[in-house]
Amino acid sequence: MATRNLYRIHTSWLRQKKALPITGSDFFEGESVNLIQCAEQLQKPVEILNKTYSNCAWQNRTLDAARGIYGNCAKLTELGFLFGLSGYPTEVQNNGDKITKTALQYMENHDHSRFLCNFGTIAGDNELLKEGDRALWYKVQPYLIGMFTAKGIPMLWQGQEFGENYWLPQEGWGRVLLYRPVRWEYFYTSEGRSLANLVRKLVKLRRNNFQFTRGEHYFYNDYTLYQSRNIMMFSRTYEGVFSLVALNFGAQDQVVNFKFPSDGNYREELHGQDNLKGISAGKNIQLNIPSNYGKIWTLAV
């Protein structure tokens, strides 16, 4: 009832704002609503986007799928679709207003243990003091690459960019009363610098390439060829610019086949190495995907 009443109040308020010629222009451009409202209704994020004026939503589905991947290739398929926000609306007409819709994408937030904890923890003097094993920092890399190249709005939780590793219990006073400050000194460790350098590279890549912020997402759902080998493949395309994102969540390097959709040269975005020249559309090309990492190839136009 509270959510419904809030929606009614918000709808009425927006209609009044639209009627005002000056202040209303802050929130409307033609038929489009420019107001940013992000709802937190984790049980029904798709319904919230479809039925309310909220144009963004928190959602734990990507996080839950990512946490379940270790040793479960089926979750890799689920994550592949969620990186594309499959099932989520991109635009909704509400009371005559056109509202663009999207959702947050994240692997960490204040309600969960740091993502590093999924790969192993180190015991402390007390159960509440155990932490994720930062020696396994490299296992986080394909998840970060996927998150920054996915549809939606990528969110980094404080300290995630350099490997913060607190463990958080599911319930009890230790969940909320234990002091967990961000340990900025982690930035200066080899693990922290490695993660920070990757995040900087991904932020720059996303900011400078519209296919990652506005483009279509296509998940290559072939379990035998890809997911069964801990590989995820998806593409982002915008106004003729095509990028292939290839992620390896496993402990072994993999060589997989892929048929690019267009002739041309493809540059590798993360390191500028392993560029592909003279590619013919529809022809099988062998791609080398390093373990616990990934590569991104973009058609040179």
Side-chain angles (χ1 to χ4, degrees), residues 121-132 165 167 178 183:
T121 56
I122 297 175
D125 295 335
N126 184 289
E127 172 73 7
L128 291 174
L129 299 179
K130 68 180 182 180
E131 298 181 329
N165 61 331
W167 177 80
L178 187 64
R183 290 170 285 196

Side-chain angles (χ1 to χ4, degrees), residues 159-180:
Q160 181 182 0
E161 67 273 26
F162 46 76
E164 188 57 87
N165 61 331
Y166 286 113
W167 177 80
L168 189 67
Q170 290 297 309
E171 56 185 16
W173 287 112
R175 178 178 174 83
V176 294
L177 294 185
L178 187 64
Y179 186 45
R180 297 181 178 90

